[in-house]
Amino acid sequence: MYQINRRNEQRCSKSLGHLSFFVLSEERKYKIMMNKISAVFGSHVFSDQVMRERLPKAVYKSLKNTIDKGEPLDTSIADSVAAAMKEWAMELGATHYTHWFQPLTETTAEKHDSFVSTVGDGGVILQFTGKELIKSEPDASSFPSGGLRETCAARGYTAWDCTSPAFVKTTDAGTCILCIPAAFTSYTGESLDYKTPLLRSMDAISKEALKALALFGNTSAKKVTSSVGPEQEYFLIDKKKFAKRTDLKLCGRTLFGAMPPKGQELDDQYFAAIKDKVASYMTELNEELWKYGILAKTQHNEVAPAQHELAPIFSTTNIATDQNHLVMATMKKIAAKHDLECVLHEKPFAGVNGSGKHNNWSISTDEGENLIDPGKHPETNLQFQFFLAAVLAVDIEIDPAAPAAVQDGRDARKSHGLFFHKGFSLSDHALHSERRFVYTAHCFSSSLLFVFSMIAHPPAKHKQKRSRSALLR
């Protein structure tokens, strides 16, 4: 009996030894994974941390005042910033730079220039000046302008948007490009892109919201910033099957065909277990997005077959817009590596859900106060009610303005909704996120200004003048 128990003890200790080794291995794997993510995250972004390490203190402080406080950019620091940015980009393998902008073409645009400059003896040096950082002159003759000017007079300028960090983008061929986010305008200042009106709208929101906050006794806030977290839905289609559909290839959506035997009737796709091939795609997508400092947080299966979603953590509206463009481009690039096609059209297939881009939008002060936070007693929170009324006015006011700019996909979408959490989520399935941001910002600013002006300067009550004949009667 004693021998049997002794054998059992030996077996148990041996099993526990294997188990402890397994636990230690898992812990080690976890630490290695976390260290890898920490090392990779933001490695291709000229972030605040990189600027702090590479820029002189005075230059860094001046640039931060422009980014955080909206002070005018001191052009005298441009050469110092450009030199540091070039050295950092070259360490990542970049040989060219581009002003990365968003014309009225539903996508981004870029013109690559190398760091190479000639010297007197026929040799070359690698150079990137402050002038090249701040401004560029791409040909604007073939970009849409809304009929602002004739093609022969269509000159365009890009200007560095220092509020959105520069990044190094890697192409499929392995070429590295330093991308500098930029606004795109005409010689006379008309906006030829989506970024310029967005930046102007963000500035208008800040100015008018600060006036409104002063009415409620808040005079310490210096800036009000909008933030958004765009949830990107998409379809993944097998490349061979995608190639058989000419309508999908040319239009990004189906134009004809019969309904499949099974669609989304059983709701068995939503939040279901992710297939191995899709999971592999999502893993590589996350790793690539983390390099660009994009906070990819949530991923899951959506309602329609082959439909999925990626949701990032929210960030400043301007940065979130740039990152969303980068997310969509990266989705398509990674899909090709996995023999898949990523479809981003808002309604690619009839009879099943389309792909929304729910924009979890909110505004807050530089002191960290969320202006659309109802608090514990929203019924007595006048400040919350005031900003709530202004945002609701946006939802009512936005639809008449939208049809002039949106695509025909608007007709195919199923719903237009307003979602209310602790912040606001404005959902419009037809609009790309940057359009929604621009319209929301403009409408919110005008609504807020109107309500503020009515409170600060109420209309005078005039006595009605009666005509002589009325007095006689």
Side-chain angles (χ1 to χ4, degrees):
M1 187 71 178
Y2 171 77
Q3 290 179 345
I4 293 173
N5 289 337
R6 184 65 178 167
R7 286 196 203 107
N8 288 338
E9 286 177 10
Q10 289 174 351
R11 287 173 185 168
C12 287
S13 63
K14 202 171 184 180
S15 299
L16 288 172
H18 284 303
L19 181 62
S20 63
F21 175 76
F22 174 76
V23 172
L24 287 173
S25 298
E26 289 301 309
E27 288 180 357
R28 187 165 177 271
K29 287 179 182 178
Y30 175 76
K31 289 179 180 178
I32 292 173
M33 180 184 69
M34 289 305 296
N35 290 334
K36 180 183 176 183
I37 293 174
S38 300
V40 166
F41 188 83
S43 59
H44 283 52
V45 181
F46 195 68
S47 61
D48 182 73
Q49 180 181 349
V50 176
M51 289 192 295
R52 195 185 302 113
E53 293 173 355
R54 292 175 177 264
L55 295 178
K57 288 185 178 180
V59 173
Y60 172 76
K61 184 178 180 180
S62 176
L63 184 58
K64 284 294 288 181
N65 285 338
T66 300
I67 295 172
D68 296 337
K69 300 178 182 179
E71 294 182 4
L73 178 66
D74 182 2
T75 55
S76 64
I77 69 170
D79 284 328
S80 181
V81 176
M85 194 180 288
K86 183 202 71 167
E87 293 299 324
W88 167 81
M90 288 181 62
E91 289 174 10
L92 293 173
T95 56
H96 290 67
Y97 70 93
T98 180
H99 272 209
W100 188 73
F101 58 103
Q102 302 161 18
L104 307 178
T105 56
E106 302 295 328
T107 184
T108 58
E110 50 196 67
K111 181 191 74 172
H112 300 171
D113 290 300
S114 72
F115 294 130
V116 174
S117 295
T118 59
V119 291
D121 59 356
V124 295
I125 59 172
L126 299 179
Q127 189 178 30
F128 183 48
T129 65
K131 182 180 179 181
E132 292 170 328
L133 169 64
I134 291 176
K135 188 182 75 171
S136 182
E137 298 183 25
D139 180 15
S141 60
S142 297
F143 285 118
S145 66
L148 286 176
R149 63 255 175 90
E150 295 178 0
T151 303
C152 61
R155 194 172 187 178
Y157 295 85
T158 52
W160 174 36
D161 172 20
C162 61
T163 63
S164 183
F167 58 93
V168 172
K169 184 174 68 172
T170 306
T171 65
D172 292 335
T175 306
C176 295
I177 307 296
L178 171 60
C179 296
I180 302 163
F184 184 44
T185 63
S186 69
Y187 178 79
T188 50
E190 291 94 355
S191 63
L192 301 174
D193 63 348
Y194 292 114
K195 180 183 277 287
T196 303
L198 173 59
L199 293 173
R200 290 171 179 171
S201 300
M202 291 175 66
D203 186 54
I205 281 183
S206 182
K207 288 179 180 178
E208 305 309 328
L210 287 175
K211 293 177 185 178
L213 284 171
L215 294 175
F216 296 101
N218 184 346
T219 56
S220 58
K222 302 300 180 184
K223 187 178 181 181
V224 173
T225 306
S226 62
S227 60
V228 72
E231 302 172 8
Q232 182 65 58
E233 295 178 359
Y234 59 98
F235 284 84
L236 287 178
I237 312 297
D238 183 87
K239 184 174 286 188
K240 293 180 180 178
K241 294 179 180 178
F242 181 88
K244 294 179 180 179
R245 295 297 303 257
T246 305
D247 49 357
L248 267 179
K249 289 192 294 183
L250 297 181
C251 305
R253 58 177 292 193
T254 54
L255 302 177
F256 54 86
M259 289 295 295
K262 176 184 174 297
Q264 61 188 49
E265 297 85 1
L266 300 178
D267 295 327
D268 53 343
Q269 164 76 0
Y270 193 50
F271 281 22
I274 300 173
K275 295 180 179 179
D276 290 345
K277 188 171 184 177
V278 176
S280 177
Y281 163 81
M282 289 179 171
T283 299
E284 188 172 352
L285 176 63
N286 285 332
E287 291 176 356
E288 192 72 11
L289 295 179
W290 288 337
K291 290 180 185 177
Y292 300 128
I294 298 173
L295 296 161
K297 178 71 174 178
T298 304
Q299 58 190 34
H300 61 84
N301 288 348
E302 261 296 337
V303 176
Q307 187 187 29
H308 314 278
E309 180 180 299
L310 180 145
I313 298 175
F314 70 91
S315 57
T316 305
T317 305
N318 179 36
I319 296 175
T321 304
D322 289 350
Q323 289 183 345
N324 186 247
H325 276 291
L326 202 51
V327 166
M328 292 188 289
T330 307
M331 280 180 166
K332 286 185 169 291
K333 184 178 79 170
I334 301 299
K337 295 181 180 180
H338 293 259
D339 292 324
L340 297 168
E341 285 286 345
C342 179
V343 179
L344 294 169
H345 193 282
E346 63 265 21
K347 192 68 176 177
F349 304 103
V352 295
N353 279 19
S355 292
K357 198 194 298 280
H358 301 119
N359 298 323
N360 299 284
W361 185 86
S362 190
I363 49 175
S364 57
T365 68
D366 54 352
E367 299 172 325
E369 181 183 9
N370 187 342
L371 299 181
I372 320 180
D373 182 358
K376 294 182 179 179
H377 302 285
E379 68 279 1
T380 58
N381 190 339
L382 294 180
Q383 179 176 293
F384 160 71
Q385 294 175 21
F386 175 86
F387 283 95
L388 172 64
V391 177
L392 287 174
V394 171
D395 192 54
I396 296 169
E397 192 176 335
I398 195 169
D399 263 350
V406 300
Q407 296 174 332
D408 62 336
R410 177 184 178 87
D411 299 330
R413 82 161 191 258
K414 300 185 94 172
S415 64
H416 165 73
L418 182 68
F419 295 85
F420 180 48
H421 305 292
K422 192 168 184 180
F424 247 65
S425 173
L426 299 176
S427 173
D428 189 336
H429 287 205
L431 298 177
H432 287 300
S433 60
E434 72 282 355
R435 283 181 171 176
R436 186 64 182 179
F437 301 157
V438 171
Y439 283 127
T440 301
H442 275 308
C443 295
F444 174 76
S445 178
S446 61
S447 301
L448 195 58
L449 178 60
F450 173 74
V451 177
F452 166 75
S453 63
M454 293 296 291
I455 293 176
H457 307 288
K461 295 181 179 179
H462 298 287
K463 292 183 179 180
Q464 185 178 1
K465 293 183 179 180
R466 302 179 69 184
S467 63
R468 186 170 183 273
S469 57
L471 290 172
L472 291 175
R473 287 197 299 270

